Amino acid sequence: MARKSVAPPDDDFTERIVDIDVSTEMQTSFLEYAYSVIYSRALPDARDGLKPVQRRILYSMDDMGIRPDRGHVKCARVVGQVMGQLHPHGDTAIYDALVRTAQPWTMRLTLVDGHGNFGSLDSGPAAMRYTECRMAPAALAMTAGLDQDTVDFKPNYDGKDVEPVVLPAAFPNLLVNGAAGIAVGMATNMPPHNLVEVIQALRHLIKHPDAGIDALMRFIPGPDLPTGGKIIGLDGIRDAYATGKGSFRIRAAARIEQVHPRRKGIVITELPYMVGPERVIEQIKNAVNSKKLQGIADVKDLTDLTNGLRLVIEVKNGFNADAVLEHLFRLTKMEDSFAINNVALVDGQPRTLSLRDLLTVYLGHRFEVTRRRTQFLLTKALDRLHLVEGLLLAIVDIDDVIAIIRSADDAAAARARLIEVFDLTEVQANYILDMQLRRLTKFSTIELESERDKLGTEITILQEILGNEDQLRTVVSTELAEMAKLHGTPRRTILLASSGVPATAAAGPLEVPDDPSWVLLSSAGLMARTDHAEPLPTEGPRANHDVIVSKIPTTARGDFGIITSAGRLIKANALDLPTVPTTANAPHLQGGAHVSELITLNPDERVLSLTRLSEDSLGLALGTARGVVKRVNPEVLNRDSWDVIRLEPGDQVIGVVELTDAATELVFITDDAQLLHFPANLVRPQGRAGGGMAGIKLGTGARVVFFGAVPAADGVVATVAGSSTALPGTDAGTVKITAFDEYPAKGRATAGVRCHRFFKGEDVLLLAWAGPAPAIASAASGSPVELPPPDRRRDGSGVPAVQPIAAFSSRLG
């Protein structure tokens, strides 16, 4: 037993001691504390993905008018407002939460626009009296509709004000930005995802409410972390999406470079999520000092605001850089694990949620928000229509209205008389009495009748949304698509089924046999070599990854060429590539290293194709964005790179073909839907310094979107049309597949023929491709995209694509 002091009444000056049971008191106090931590501090709400302090920060900033179109204000001002009005906790906790929502390496889509020192991965922010903030554009989408009765409000901690129970949240913030928190007896740890991919999955779930985990993972193949990196192994991700718990490994993006004329180095451009460069440098130094790591000559942090993260690890001569890199992955945080635990509050209760649960809870919230907003707008429109109809009745007999008002002793008498004479309601009569006389003119009648008709149309639309569940779902789906266009960004994290480690790394310094193999390039920029020399299979089941866009035969230690959009041919060695198996059961690339890890590209330069370094071939054919075509004589120089075409300022190479037959058909497709093809022997071969010749005649403002080659038989053309104003990667557009023989050949330097007819709202080809049938497609995430059946009309319109297409290829790779 224990004694507890109780405050005496005002009229009693004797202290009273009450005996209580210690175990009961401890149990009660602990439960109260646990309840407070779980529901008021540590766990996010599954609807808006925010913890209470984050929600209060955004609500306060919106209430204070600190929006993106206004100036920044001191963070201390926001913290003081939140603490004094809504959040009865310390200012440090509030400021820490505000800082996190402004850090681009923590949030996939920042909610606060910070100005000043908001810290880094290795250091904390400046004090709140030195930093400034305002709402980010995405935060407006979180709070939009608060003034339209979209969510419930509750009293604040002292009952003198109110705060929203949840924010309207026009985008799925919990999945997009993730969450982390430690409560009592439970915790949550959710990784960020790509906004466009999540919204695509939501829209699919709206159309197909029974969609399973496999269907949803076609749109959300895995997390998309703000710091990029490479996720290794996808099984743990699928477990997390199915059960709410799982894990995955993430590796730094690293490439081997010649950092010194006589020394190679490992260049790190992306680190695992929430791992800073200073921490990695410290771990490397400790491993070297303890003799656990050998071969490191120096470590330099060349990170800056212009080029981003750049950590250079110099490797001593005589050491295999790939083997050293593998040791770095094993001994430092350059490879880290992330344990997924999807715990969030649903209807006030903590639950472990699968991917489908997370999407379903959010959709239910958006349906409710949209329904309440529609009801609010409908009530407002009906009230206004009621007043407009009353005014129209009064204007017909305006003289009588004025006479009644003038003859009345007071407002009450005038109101009663108006109601009696014109059969008005009290609300209508009060509105007429409050209105200025100058508004009751003949011109006002025209305006009122127009407003009445407009209100009638608006009311009909709103009533249809409320009365039709399918219409409500369409509205929510359309609004989600708008969010993807406004705030969507390309994927940053690469997903790999395996580590993609070069074979030399696992074997240490042992040399790799110079056996025949294939070098492959995928649409996502991944490169690898196969472990066999057999041709790639022509048939086989689809693999859940991006398509192969270029392949060449070589040997494991042989050289090959990489051709870029700047017209450069860069020499590379197959030994530097990771080895991946390519069998009949997996004809698509499911591993590899990104091309940026193998070569250094200039800004706005991208890899287009691979080529053999052989002088006994027919050379290359190149096509540029301005419609220039060039045949290059085969030539191999003793250099690391050289130009194969002289480009005019502002021009770039669009496609490259390694010629095997002079009669090969070369194909141009422009963004205004013109297709031209002609034999390669119509193009005169030139040397490296040549600038090419006219390939296709372009319309005003048009550019080439595809250049390639098609076999004489069994060719196919794929085109995707859309809007030029849409954010890249968000407009699915309409896709059309047509046999190549439907397009007649024209002479070189002509305009060609139309290959796609635009719908209303379409004005450009987003993507085009021609090659051997059948065509296959993949999204930016690497997941396959289903294509429509072939259309015999060469200039017909397309059918809506199920999701944005990033690349086409053929089943031959």
Side-chain angles (χ1 to χ4, degrees):
M1 299 293 291
R3 292 188 172 187
K4 182 177 181 180
S5 176
V6 180
D10 293 340
D11 57 349
D12 188 357
F13 298 98
T14 303
E15 183 179 28
R16 292 187 296 113
I17 305 298
V18 179
D19 291 332
I20 62 172
D21 182 68
V22 174
S23 61
T24 303
E25 179 66 19
M26 290 292 293
Q27 183 179 10
T28 304
S29 300
F30 181 79
L31 287 176
E32 291 178 354
Y33 166 74
Y35 182 89
S36 175
V37 172
I38 292 172
Y39 296 99
S40 301
R41 292 171 60 183
L43 298 185
D45 192 296
R47 294 170 292 179
D48 62 4
L50 298 173
K51 300 176 184 178
V53 63
Q54 297 170 327
R55 186 178 304 113
R56 289 162 178 165
I57 289 172
L58 295 183
Y59 173 65
S60 294
M61 294 179 74
D62 182 72
D63 189 51
M64 297 166 67
I66 312 174
R67 297 183 176 88
D69 56 347
R70 311 281 180 87
H72 293 81
V73 303
K74 288 285 188 182
C75 290
R77 179 179 169 189
V78 176
V79 171
Q81 178 74 8
V82 174
M83 182 171 58
Q85 185 179 10
L86 301 174
H87 199 65
H89 297 279
D91 57 350
T92 302
I94 299 173
Y95 183 53
D96 287 345
L98 188 151
V99 166
R100 185 183 185 276
T101 57
Q103 292 176 332
W105 58 87
T106 302
M107 308 285 283
R108 189 61 178 82
L109 188 61
T110 55
L111 301 178
V112 172
D113 178 14
H115 185 217
N117 179 13
F118 275 75
S120 68
L121 285 165
D122 294 302
S123 61
M128 59 183 167
R129 60 181 179 274
Y130 300 122
T131 57
E132 298 178 336
C133 66
R134 65 183 177 188
M135 297 178 72
L140 289 181
M142 294 293 294
T143 59
L146 279 174
D147 57 347
Q148 295 177 328
D149 191 33
T150 54
V151 294
D152 294 330
F153 281 72
K154 65 179 181 181
N156 68 335
Y157 66 90
D158 60 3
K160 296 179 180 179
D161 211 332
V162 293
E163 61 176 313
V165 175
V166 65
L167 293 186
F171 68 90
N173 176 67
L174 185 57
L175 273 169
V176 172
N177 282 323
I182 300 175
V184 179
M186 62 186 67
T188 184
N189 198 32
M190 303 175 63
H193 291 76
N194 186 275
L195 173 66
V196 176
E197 295 175 0
V198 175
I199 287 181
Q200 288 174 358
L202 286 169
R203 299 186 70 194
H204 180 79
L205 192 59
I206 291 174
K207 291 183 179 180
H208 308 279
D210 297 329
I213 185 67
D214 292 328
L216 295 176
M217 285 190 67
R218 288 182 55 198
F219 302 94
I220 310 178
D224 185 22
L225 307 175
T227 51
K230 297 188 294 186
I231 292 178
I232 309 299
L234 307 180
D235 293 340
I237 294 175
R238 195 187 189 288
D239 292 340
Y241 286 168
T243 65
K245 292 186 177 182
S247 65
F248 61 87
R249 291 183 299 128
I250 180 168
R251 278 190 169 185
R255 62 173 180 263
I256 310 299
E257 289 187 7
Q258 197 74 30
V259 297
H260 189 271
R262 299 183 62 183
R263 179 173 290 170
K264 284 188 175 184
I266 301 169
V267 178
I268 311 298
T269 55
E270 296 174 356
L271 285 172
Y273 186 48
M274 301 306 292
V275 175
E278 293 182 10
R279 183 180 181 185
V280 172
I281 292 174
E282 184 65 26
Q283 290 177 331
I284 293 175
K285 290 181 179 179
N286 292 337
V288 171
N289 293 335
S290 62
K291 307 299 183 181
K292 295 181 180 179
L293 182 61
Q294 296 180 347
I296 302 296
D298 194 11
V299 181
K300 299 177 182 178
D301 187 1
L302 304 181
T303 303
D304 57 37
L305 295 177
T306 302
N307 301 311
L309 176 67
R310 184 176 174 86
L311 194 62
V312 179
I313 305 171
E314 295 186 5
V315 180
K316 294 179 180 179
N317 292 333
F319 283 83
N320 187 327
D322 291 316
V324 172
L325 179 58
E326 273 302 292
H327 281 82
L328 287 171
F329 285 141
R330 182 170 57 86
L331 297 173
T332 71
K333 283 291 183 178
M334 284 176 54
E335 177 174 318
D336 201 6
S337 61
F338 189 102
I340 302 176
N341 191 23
N342 296 335
V343 177
L345 298 177
V346 180
D347 297 330
Q349 299 294 325
R351 281 181 52 191
T352 301
L353 304 172
S354 65
L355 175 63
R356 177 182 167 79
D357 294 334
L358 289 167
L359 297 175
T360 303
V361 170
Y362 174 76
L363 280 181
H365 174 58
R366 281 309 297 175
F367 290 149
E368 180 64 20
V369 166
T370 305
R371 188 179 293 108
R372 292 180 60 163
R373 182 190 63 203
T374 305
Q375 183 61 57
F376 175 86
L377 295 175
L378 177 60
T379 302
K380 187 176 179 181
L382 289 172
D383 292 343
R384 178 59 186 171
L385 180 61
H386 184 62
L387 298 177
V388 170
E389 290 174 342
L391 284 175
L392 287 172
L393 290 175
I395 288 177
V396 174
D397 298 312
I398 185 63
D399 295 334
D400 293 343
V401 171
I402 295 174
I404 290 173
I405 296 175
R406 292 187 62 186
S407 63
D409 295 333
D410 52 25
R415 181 189 308 111
R417 185 63 178 157
L418 287 173
I419 293 173
E420 179 183 356
V421 173
F422 295 101
D423 194 22
L424 302 175
T425 65
E426 184 175 350
V427 174
Q428 291 172 325
N430 285 331
Y431 188 73
I432 293 172
L433 290 173
D434 293 338
M435 178 171 287
Q436 294 176 340
L437 188 61
R438 62 183 175 85
R439 293 186 59 187
L440 298 176
T441 62
K442 186 175 181 180
F443 183 72
S444 296
T445 303
I446 298 174
E447 289 182 341
L448 289 172
E449 289 177 344
S450 176
E451 184 179 0
R452 178 192 60 190
D453 297 339
K454 183 179 179 181
L455 286 170
T457 303
E458 181 182 347
I459 289 170
T460 301
I461 295 175
L462 294 174
Q463 288 175 337
E464 183 179 355
I465 294 175
L466 290 175
N468 189 331
E469 189 69 21
D470 291 337
Q471 186 66 22
L472 176 67
R473 289 174 169 269
T474 301
V475 171
V476 172
S477 179
T478 303
E479 291 178 351
L480 287 172
E482 290 297 321
M483 285 294 103
K485 290 183 179 180
L486 286 174
H487 304 294
T489 55
R491 166 172 280 275
R492 298 175 186 171
T493 302
I494 297 174
L495 305 176
L496 297 175
S498 60
S499 64
V501 179
T504 53
L510 297 180
E511 293 186 351
V512 178
D514 194 21
D515 296 331
S517 61
W518 287 79
V519 175
L520 312 174
L521 172 67
S522 80
S523 61
L526 297 176
M527 292 185 63
R529 62 181 173 88
T530 65
D531 53 1
H532 57 79
E534 289 78 13
L536 298 182
T538 59
E539 295 295 338
R542 291 293 306 274
N544 188 20
H545 213 291
D546 52 348
V547 296
I548 297 171
V549 295
S550 182
K551 71 179 191 309
I552 55 168
T554 182
T555 62
R557 305 176 67 86
D559 292 331
F560 64 95
I562 300 173
I563 303 177
T564 73
S565 58
R568 289 199 302 157
L569 190 153
I570 303 173
K571 187 184 295 185
N573 191 276
L575 189 61
D576 296 329
L577 298 177
T579 303
V580 294
T582 305
T583 65
N585 291 327
H588 296 259
L589 190 57
Q590 297 192 65
H594 197 265
V595 67
S596 61
E597 301 176 23
L598 305 171
I599 61 175
T600 301
L601 298 174
N602 298 322
D604 300 326
E605 185 179 17
R606 57 192 178 88
V607 171
L608 298 177
S609 181
L610 307 176
T611 182
R612 295 174 295 172
L613 297 179
S614 173
E615 295 186 356
D616 58 358
S617 68
L618 295 178
L620 304 173
L622 300 93
T624 76
R626 293 185 177 178
V628 174
V629 63
K630 179 184 178 181
R631 280 186 62 184
V632 185
N633 287 320
E635 185 177 9
V636 180
L637 304 181
N638 189 24
R639 302 179 189 173
D640 291 335
S641 68
W642 59 88
D643 294 334
V644 291
I645 185 174
R646 185 184 74 252
L647 293 172
E648 296 296 326
D651 200 4
Q652 63 175 342
V653 179
I654 294 297
V656 184
V657 177
E658 184 170 356
L659 297 175
T660 57
D661 186 351
T664 299
E665 287 290 308
L666 303 180
V667 183
F668 279 97
I669 304 178
T670 65
D671 60 2
D672 60 350
Q674 293 295 119
L675 184 149
L676 173 67
H677 67 91
F678 52 84
N681 54 23
L682 296 183
V683 183
R684 183 182 68 257
Q686 295 178 323
R688 290 185 301 105
M693 58 186 67
I696 183 172
K697 183 179 180 181
L698 297 176
T700 303
R703 293 179 66 85
V704 174
V705 295
F706 173 80
F707 173 80
V710 177
D714 198 27
V716 67
V717 176
T719 51
V720 181
S723 172
S724 59
T725 61
L727 186 71
T730 62
D731 186 5
T734 58
V735 59
K736 182 173 75 75
I737 308 296
T738 306
F740 180 71
D741 55 18
E742 295 292 332
Y743 300 94
K746 300 288 183 180
R748 182 181 60 81
T750 61
V753 296
R754 176 176 289 276
C755 61
H756 196 120
R757 186 170 298 279
F758 295 140
F759 282 121
K760 182 178 179 181
E762 298 177 341
D763 60 353
V764 71
L765 284 186
L766 303 175
L767 189 65
W769 176 84
I776 58 176
S778 70
S781 61
S783 59
V785 178
E786 184 178 352
L787 295 176
D791 187 343
R792 299 298 299 179
R793 301 172 300 166
R794 73 183 190 203
D795 63 343
S797 300
V799 298
V802 295
Q803 64 184 112
I805 296 174
F808 286 103
S809 184
S810 66
R811 195 168 294 277
L812 292 172

